[in-house]
Amino acid sequence: MISVRGINKHFGEVRAVSDVSFEARDNRVTALLGPNGAGKSTTLRVLSGVLRPDSGTATINGFNVVESPLEVRRSIGVMPHDSGIYTRLTARENIRYFGELQGMTRSRLDERIESLLDHLDMRSFADRRTEGFSQGQKVKVALARALINDPKHVLLDEPTNGLDVMATRSLREIILGLKAAGCCVLFSSHIMQEVANLCDDVVIIAGGSVQFEGSLEGLREKAQTADLEDAFIALAGLEQTT
Amino acid sequence: MNVIWTVLKKECVDNIRDRRTILSSFSLALLGPLAFVAMMTFVLNKALGESDTTVEFTLAGADHAPGLVAYLEGQNTEIEQIDLEPGQDPRVLVTSGAHDLLLVVPEDFAERFENGRSNALALIYDSSELGSAQRRARRVDSLVSTYSRTIGLMRLQLRGVDPSIAQPVSTRTVDVASPAERALMVLTTLPYLILLVAFMGGFYLAIDTTAGEREHGSLEPLLTQPVARSQLVLGKIGATAVFALASLCVFLIAFYFSVPFVPLERIGMSLDVDIVAVLMMLGVMLPLVWFAAALLTVAASFAKSYKEAQTYLSFLILVPTLPVIVAQVSGVEASLPLMMVPSLSQSLLVQDLITSEPITLIEVLISAVSTGVLALGLTWLAILLYRRERILI
């Protein structure tokens, strides 16, 4: 369970997020939906503990992200915006590095890597250096790395960016698998269709603040339209700008 | 501790696979000692060569000047005597490459000599050709001049004239630098080289583990791991130090094996760099290795990209040589207060070790402690930098 209460964060003059509050529950996939620059990445970065909020609190699994960063990080798996994998290491070495940082025992780490390689269908490129990997392969490596400690909470920042149809579909199945395993999945996106296919709840964020929080059904009701994209545009207040 | 080791191991493996890092870390360490031997050999040969080596040249028309030839033969020369065909242009012999330095005695030499008239000998060589002909030409020229002057003075004396009347003004060139001293000047470049090697060894690693990681976007996932940032930083500085140390070891090994090739015995000097001295150099340098790694890491942490870091560090790498240059210009000797200065203290100690001067334990301790304290301070600074959230933005 992820809970965000009244988070503010600014960089210099720029107000990145203001008074953002929402919840993401276990066994559910929650989407953080918003246009570019809405504050999605900033919110996720506050949750992963790399940014400190100016005010407000965020808790994951009951731990405050500012006060107990290590406990929080032990229970989350994060895939940032940029896959950020090491190109001179093989896929397997990339994954192993993070497992070792987590202090996993060797045997458990081996076991976990094998199961992730199968689960994410990475066998064919597991022992190649990641330089020159396709975007889909890179995302898989980054995802496997994020999932190495079998986290209860998974934060994904625009995971489908740059993926083709097949890779997107395979990622969708992985995310649904995580949900089925009882995880609390929070991912950010700016594509409504992708969200509609995958998520249970949606948080629409625009201009740094939350415009809507609820289920997909609730979204349709509130915007009074069956078309989710229209609903998104209406609620994110994008009509004036387009 | 496990985290530090994990980070250190990963950064080392990662960078061993990078040709650019390997090249920059170890090229100076390997080529430095070779350049040193080449430089020493060159200086020594130059200092000794001019009077020691035999001058080879070709002489045409030896029969016309037996006195001159006898003199020249007594001056450590090796003369190949040839005869010119009547009417032959001696220059052709040089341009054709048959001879590279040709002294031609004219046919009327003996007659003019007897009559006390001036004689001009042609000394023919090709200055556009590579090789030693030009240098040898100067030697032959000066030998002939000396012969000429001696004959001239004798003639004046025979006529009852004080020879000094023919030489109203003269200079006497005195080069006080003995070959040994010139060789020592080259030796003093070694401490610089060792400092540079230690810094160059960690150069690319410091960039790759900080600014490089930032540029490739791998820093953010790393920072979301449940580990203290201080441990990440220690692992990174550790990996940089490992490379700096490896580079230093390569240098010292190459140095140890190349010293015997320096022909120092020709000037009666010996360079006793035994294995103990080499190990002591390594020991003296150890605190500086950590200092270098921490300093480079701090500087590279300010940069957002590889290129930016490279610019900062290229300047930074000159900083440790500054106190050494100042000290050498002002000619200071090793003293206790100077042992407080990182890089300077190590360079003075290394120089003493190379030239087999005694060093005291207290000097080594002050050097190690002061450099170590500063290195710790820099390490702490690096950790503080990584604790700021700005490190990501």
Coordinates of all heavy atoms in Angstrom, one line a residue, chain A residues 79 85 91-92 95 111-126 133-151 154 156 163 166-178:
Chain A
M79 N 11.7 1.1 -11.4 CA 12.3 1.2 -12.7 C 12.2 2.7 -13.2 O 11.1 3.1 -13.5 CB 11.6 0.3 -13.7 CG 12.4 0.2 -15.0 SD 11.8 -1.1 -16.1 CE 10.5 -0.2 -16.9
I85 N 20.9 1.0 -17.6 CA 21.6 -0.3 -17.3 C 23.1 -0.1 -17.8 O 23.4 0.8 -18.6 CB 21.0 -1.5 -18.0 CG1 20.8 -1.2 -19.5 CG2 19.7 -1.8 -17.3 CD1 20.2 -2.4 -20.2
A91 N 23.4 -8.8 -19.3 CA 22.1 -8.6 -18.7 C 22.2 -9.3 -17.3 O 21.7 -8.7 -16.3 CB 21.1 -9.3 -19.5
R92 N 22.7 -10.5 -17.2 CA 22.8 -11.2 -16.0 C 23.6 -10.5 -14.9 O 23.2 -10.4 -13.8 CB 23.4 -12.6 -16.2 CG 23.2 -13.6 -15.1 CD 24.1 -14.8 -15.3 NE 23.6 -15.6 -16.4 CZ 22.7 -16.6 -16.3 NH1 22.2 -16.9 -15.1 NH2 22.4 -17.3 -17.3
I95 N 21.7 -7.6 -13.4 CA 20.7 -8.0 -12.4 C 21.4 -8.4 -11.1 O 21.0 -8.0 -10.0 CB 19.8 -9.2 -13.0 CG1 19.2 -8.7 -14.3 CG2 18.8 -9.6 -12.0 CD1 18.6 -9.9 -15.1
E111 N 18.9 -18.4 -7.7 CA 17.6 -18.9 -7.9 C 16.7 -17.9 -8.5 O 15.9 -18.1 -9.5 CB 17.1 -19.4 -6.5 CG 16.0 -20.4 -6.5 CD 15.7 -20.7 -5.0 OE1 16.6 -21.2 -4.3 OE2 14.5 -20.4 -4.6
R112 N 16.7 -16.7 -7.9 CA 15.8 -15.6 -8.3 C 16.2 -15.1 -9.7 O 15.3 -14.9 -10.5 CB 16.0 -14.5 -7.3 CG 15.2 -13.3 -7.5 CD 13.7 -13.5 -7.2 NE 12.9 -12.4 -7.6 CZ 11.6 -12.4 -8.0 NH1 11.0 -13.6 -8.0 NH2 11.0 -11.4 -8.4
I113 N 17.5 -15.1 -10.1 CA 17.8 -14.6 -11.4 C 17.3 -15.6 -12.4 O 16.7 -15.2 -13.4 CB 19.4 -14.5 -11.5 CG1 19.9 -13.3 -10.7 CG2 19.8 -14.4 -13.0 CD1 21.4 -13.1 -10.7
E114 N 17.5 -16.9 -12.1 CA 17.0 -17.9 -13.1 C 15.5 -17.8 -13.3 O 15.0 -17.8 -14.4 CB 17.3 -19.4 -12.6 CG 18.8 -19.7 -12.5 CD 19.5 -19.5 -13.8 OE1 19.0 -19.8 -14.9 OE2 20.6 -18.9 -13.8
S115 N 14.8 -17.6 -12.2 CA 13.3 -17.5 -12.4 C 12.9 -16.3 -13.1 O 12.0 -16.3 -13.9 CB 12.6 -17.6 -11.0 OG 12.2 -16.4 -10.5
L116 N 13.6 -15.1 -12.9 CA 13.3 -13.9 -13.6 C 13.6 -14.1 -15.1 O 12.9 -13.6 -16.0 CB 14.1 -12.7 -13.0 CG 13.5 -12.1 -11.8 CD1 14.5 -11.1 -11.1 CD2 12.2 -11.4 -12.0
L117 N 14.8 -14.7 -15.4 CA 15.1 -14.9 -16.8 C 14.1 -15.7 -17.6 O 13.7 -15.3 -18.7 CB 16.5 -15.6 -16.9 CG 17.7 -14.9 -16.5 CD1 19.0 -15.7 -16.6 CD2 17.9 -13.6 -17.2
D118 N 13.5 -16.7 -16.9 CA 12.4 -17.5 -17.5 C 11.1 -16.6 -17.6 O 10.5 -16.5 -18.7 CB 12.1 -18.7 -16.7 CG 13.2 -19.8 -16.9 OD1 13.8 -19.7 -18.0 OD2 13.4 -20.6 -16.0
H119 N 10.8 -16.0 -16.5 CA 9.6 -15.3 -16.4 C 9.5 -14.1 -17.4 O 8.5 -13.9 -18.0 CB 9.4 -14.7 -15.0 CG 8.1 -14.1 -14.7 ND1 6.9 -14.8 -14.9 CD2 7.8 -12.9 -14.2 CE1 5.9 -14.0 -14.5 NE2 6.4 -12.8 -14.2
L120 N 10.6 -13.4 -17.6 CA 10.6 -12.3 -18.5 C 11.1 -12.7 -19.9 O 11.3 -11.8 -20.7 CB 11.5 -11.2 -18.0 CG 11.2 -10.6 -16.6 CD1 12.1 -9.5 -16.2 CD2 9.7 -10.1 -16.6
D121 N 11.3 -14.0 -20.1 CA 11.7 -14.5 -21.4 C 13.0 -13.8 -21.9 O 13.1 -13.2 -22.9 CB 10.6 -14.3 -22.4 CG 10.9 -15.0 -23.7 OD1 11.7 -16.0 -23.7 OD2 10.3 -14.7 -24.7
M122 N 14.0 -13.9 -21.0 CA 15.3 -13.2 -21.3 C 16.5 -14.2 -21.6 O 17.6 -13.8 -21.8 CB 15.7 -12.4 -20.1 CG 14.7 -11.3 -19.8 SD 15.2 -10.4 -18.3 CE 16.8 -9.7 -18.7
R123 N 16.2 -15.5 -21.7 CA 17.2 -16.5 -21.8 C 18.2 -16.2 -23.0 O 19.4 -16.3 -22.9 CB 16.6 -17.8 -22.0 CG 16.1 -18.4 -20.8 CD 17.1 -19.2 -20.0 NE 16.6 -19.6 -18.7 CZ 17.3 -19.6 -17.6 NH1 18.6 -19.3 -17.7 NH2 16.8 -20.0 -16.5
S124 N 17.6 -15.8 -24.1 CA 18.4 -15.7 -25.3 C 19.4 -14.6 -25.3 O 20.4 -14.6 -26.0 CB 17.5 -15.5 -26.5 OG 16.7 -14.3 -26.3
F125 N 19.2 -13.6 -24.4 CA 20.2 -12.5 -24.4 C 20.8 -12.3 -23.0 O 21.4 -11.2 -22.7 CB 19.6 -11.2 -24.9 CG 18.3 -10.8 -24.3 CD1 18.3 -9.9 -23.2 CD2 17.1 -11.2 -24.8 CE1 17.2 -9.5 -22.6 CE2 15.9 -10.7 -24.3 CZ 15.9 -9.9 -23.2
A126 N 20.6 -13.3 -22.1 CA 21.0 -13.1 -20.7 C 22.5 -12.9 -20.5 O 22.9 -12.1 -19.7 CB 20.6 -14.3 -19.9
F133 N 21.5 -3.4 -27.1 CA 20.2 -4.1 -26.8 C 19.1 -3.3 -27.4 O 19.2 -2.0 -27.5 CB 20.0 -4.2 -25.3 CG 20.5 -5.5 -24.8 CD1 21.5 -6.2 -25.4 CD2 20.0 -6.1 -23.6 CE1 22.0 -7.4 -24.8 CE2 20.4 -7.2 -23.1 CZ 21.5 -7.9 -23.7
S134 N 18.0 -3.9 -27.8 CA 16.9 -3.2 -28.3 C 16.2 -2.5 -27.0 O 16.5 -3.0 -25.9 CB 15.9 -4.1 -28.9 OG 15.3 -4.9 -28.0
Q135 N 15.3 -1.6 -27.3 CA 14.7 -0.9 -26.2 C 13.9 -1.9 -25.3 O 13.9 -1.9 -24.1 CB 13.7 0.2 -26.7 CG 13.2 1.1 -25.6 CD 14.3 1.9 -24.9 OE1 15.3 2.1 -25.5 NE2 14.0 2.2 -23.6
G136 N 13.3 -2.9 -26.0 CA 12.5 -3.9 -25.3 C 13.4 -4.7 -24.4 O 13.0 -5.0 -23.2
Q137 N 14.6 -5.1 -24.9 CA 15.5 -5.9 -24.1 C 16.0 -5.1 -22.9 O 16.1 -5.6 -21.8 CB 16.7 -6.4 -25.0 CG 16.2 -7.4 -26.0 CD 17.3 -7.7 -27.0 OE1 18.1 -6.8 -27.4 NE2 17.4 -8.9 -27.5
K138 N 16.3 -3.8 -23.1 CA 16.8 -3.0 -22.1 C 15.8 -2.9 -20.9 O 16.1 -2.9 -19.8 CB 17.1 -1.6 -22.6 CG 18.4 -1.4 -23.3 CD 18.6 0.0 -23.7 CE 19.8 0.1 -24.6 NZ 19.9 1.5 -25.3
V139 N 14.5 -2.7 -21.3 CA 13.4 -2.5 -20.3 C 13.3 -3.8 -19.5 O 13.1 -3.8 -18.3 CB 12.1 -2.1 -21.0 CG1 10.9 -2.3 -20.0 CG2 12.2 -0.7 -21.5
K140 N 13.5 -4.9 -20.2 CA 13.4 -6.2 -19.5 C 14.5 -6.3 -18.5 O 14.3 -6.8 -17.3 CB 13.4 -7.4 -20.5 CG 12.1 -7.6 -21.1 CD 12.1 -8.9 -21.9 CE 10.7 -9.2 -22.5 NZ 10.6 -10.3 -23.3
V141 N 15.7 -5.9 -18.9 CA 16.8 -6.0 -17.9 C 16.5 -5.1 -16.7 O 16.7 -5.5 -15.6 CB 18.2 -5.6 -18.6 CG1 19.3 -5.6 -17.6 CG2 18.5 -6.5 -19.8
A142 N 16.1 -3.9 -17.0 CA 15.8 -2.9 -15.9 C 14.7 -3.4 -15.0 O 14.7 -3.2 -13.8 CB 15.5 -1.5 -16.5
L143 N 13.7 -4.1 -15.6 CA 12.6 -4.6 -14.9 C 13.1 -5.8 -14.0 O 12.7 -5.8 -12.8 CB 11.5 -5.0 -15.8 CG 10.1 -5.3 -15.2 CD1 9.6 -4.1 -14.5 CD2 9.2 -5.8 -16.3
A144 N 13.8 -6.6 -14.6 CA 14.4 -7.8 -13.8 C 15.2 -7.3 -12.6 O 15.1 -7.8 -11.5 CB 15.2 -8.7 -14.7
R145 N 15.9 -6.2 -12.9 CA 16.8 -5.7 -11.8 C 15.9 -5.1 -10.7 O 16.2 -5.2 -9.5 CB 17.6 -4.6 -12.5 CG 18.8 -4.1 -11.7 CD 19.7 -3.3 -12.6 NE 19.0 -2.0 -12.9 CZ 19.6 -1.0 -13.5 NH1 20.8 -1.1 -13.8 NH2 18.9 0.1 -13.8
A146 N 14.8 -4.4 -11.1 CA 13.9 -3.8 -10.1 C 13.2 -4.9 -9.3 O 12.8 -4.7 -8.2 CB 12.9 -2.9 -10.8
L147 N 13.0 -6.1 -9.9 CA 12.2 -7.1 -9.3 C 13.0 -8.1 -8.5 O 12.5 -9.1 -8.0 CB 11.3 -7.9 -10.3 CG 10.3 -7.0 -11.1 CD1 9.6 -7.8 -12.1 CD2 9.3 -6.4 -10.1
I148 N 14.4 -7.9 -8.5 CA 15.3 -8.9 -8.0 C 15.0 -9.3 -6.6 O 15.1 -10.5 -6.2 CB 16.8 -8.5 -8.2 CG1 17.7 -9.6 -7.8 CG2 17.1 -7.3 -7.3 CD1 17.7 -10.7 -8.8
N149 N 14.5 -8.3 -5.8 CA 14.3 -8.7 -4.3 C 12.8 -9.0 -4.1 O 12.4 -9.0 -3.0 CB 14.7 -7.5 -3.4 CG 13.9 -6.3 -3.7 OD1 13.3 -6.2 -4.8 ND2 13.8 -5.4 -2.8
D150 N 12.1 -9.4 -5.2 CA 10.7 -9.8 -5.0 C 9.9 -8.7 -4.3 O 9.3 -9.0 -3.2 CB 10.7 -11.1 -4.3 CG 9.5 -11.9 -4.7 OD1 8.6 -11.4 -5.5 OD2 9.3 -13.1 -4.2
P151 N 9.9 -7.5 -4.8 CA 9.3 -6.4 -4.0 C 7.8 -6.5 -3.9 O 7.2 -7.0 -4.9 CB 9.8 -5.1 -4.7 CG 9.9 -5.6 -6.1 CD 10.4 -7.0 -6.1
V154 N 5.9 -2.0 -6.7 CA 6.7 -1.8 -7.9 C 6.3 -0.4 -8.5 O 5.2 -0.1 -8.7 CB 6.4 -2.9 -8.9 CG1 7.2 -2.7 -10.1 CG2 6.6 -4.3 -8.3
L156 N 7.0 2.0 -11.6 CA 7.5 2.0 -13.0 C 7.3 3.4 -13.6 O 6.1 3.8 -13.7 CB 6.9 0.9 -13.8 CG 6.8 -0.5 -13.2 CD1 5.9 -1.4 -14.0 CD2 8.2 -1.1 -13.1
L163 N 8.7 1.2 -26.7 CA 8.5 -0.2 -26.9 C 7.6 -0.5 -28.1 O 6.7 0.3 -28.3 CB 7.9 -0.9 -25.7 CG 8.7 -0.9 -24.4 CD1 8.1 -1.8 -23.3 CD2 10.1 -1.4 -24.7
M166 N 4.7 -5.7 -29.6 CA 4.9 -7.0 -28.9 C 5.6 -6.8 -27.6 O 5.2 -7.5 -26.6 CB 5.8 -7.9 -29.8 CG 5.1 -8.5 -31.0 SD 3.5 -9.1 -30.7 CE 3.8 -10.6 -29.7
A167 N 6.5 -5.9 -27.5 CA 7.2 -5.7 -26.2 C 6.2 -5.1 -25.2 O 6.2 -5.4 -24.0 CB 8.4 -4.8 -26.4
T168 N 5.3 -4.2 -25.7 CA 4.3 -3.6 -24.8 C 3.4 -4.7 -24.3 O 3.1 -4.7 -23.1 CB 3.5 -2.5 -25.6 OG1 4.4 -1.6 -26.2 CG2 2.6 -1.8 -24.7
R169 N 3.0 -5.6 -25.2 CA 2.1 -6.6 -24.8 C 2.7 -7.5 -23.7 O 2.1 -7.9 -22.7 CB 1.7 -7.4 -26.0 CG 0.8 -8.6 -25.7 CD 0.6 -9.3 -27.0 NE -0.4 -8.6 -27.8 CZ -1.4 -9.2 -28.4 NH1 -1.6 -10.5 -28.4 NH2 -2.3 -8.5 -29.1
S170 N 4.0 -7.8 -24.0 CA 4.7 -8.7 -23.0 C 4.9 -8.0 -21.7 O 4.7 -8.6 -20.6 CB 6.0 -9.2 -23.6 OG 7.1 -8.9 -22.8
L171 N 5.1 -6.7 -21.7 CA 5.3 -5.9 -20.5 C 3.9 -5.9 -19.7 O 3.9 -6.1 -18.5 CB 5.7 -4.5 -20.7 CG 5.9 -3.6 -19.5 CD1 7.1 -4.1 -18.7 CD2 6.1 -2.2 -19.9
R172 N 2.8 -5.8 -20.5 CA 1.5 -5.8 -19.9 C 1.2 -7.1 -19.1 O 0.7 -7.1 -18.0 CB 0.4 -5.6 -21.0 CG -0.9 -5.2 -20.4 CD -1.7 -4.6 -21.5 NE -1.9 -5.4 -22.6 CZ -1.9 -5.0 -23.9 NH1 -1.7 -3.7 -24.2 NH2 -2.1 -5.8 -24.9
E173 N 1.6 -8.2 -19.8 CA 1.4 -9.5 -19.1 C 2.2 -9.6 -17.8 O 1.8 -10.1 -16.8 CB 1.8 -10.6 -20.1 CG 0.6 -11.0 -20.9 CD 1.0 -11.7 -22.2 OE1 2.1 -12.3 -22.2 OE2 0.3 -11.7 -23.2
I174 N 3.4 -9.1 -17.9 CA 4.3 -9.1 -16.7 C 3.7 -8.3 -15.5 O 3.6 -8.8 -14.4 CB 5.7 -8.6 -17.0 CG1 6.4 -9.5 -18.0 CG2 6.5 -8.4 -15.8 CD1 7.6 -8.9 -18.7
I175 N 3.1 -7.1 -15.9 CA 2.5 -6.3 -14.9 C 1.3 -7.0 -14.3 O 1.1 -7.0 -13.1 CB 2.2 -4.9 -15.4 CG1 3.5 -4.1 -15.7 CG2 1.3 -4.1 -14.5 CD1 3.3 -2.8 -16.4
L176 N 0.5 -7.6 -15.1 CA -0.7 -8.3 -14.6 C -0.3 -9.5 -13.7 O -0.9 -9.8 -12.8 CB -1.5 -8.8 -15.8 CG -2.3 -7.6 -16.5 CD1 -3.0 -8.1 -17.8 CD2 -3.3 -6.9 -15.6
G177 N 0.8 -10.1 -14.1 CA 1.4 -11.2 -13.3 C 1.8 -10.7 -11.9 O 1.5 -11.3 -10.9
L178 N 2.4 -9.5 -11.8 CA 2.8 -8.9 -10.5 C 1.5 -8.6 -9.7 O 1.5 -8.9 -8.5 CB 3.5 -7.6 -10.8 CG 4.9 -7.7 -11.4 CD1 5.4 -6.3 -11.7 CD2 5.8 -8.4 -10.4

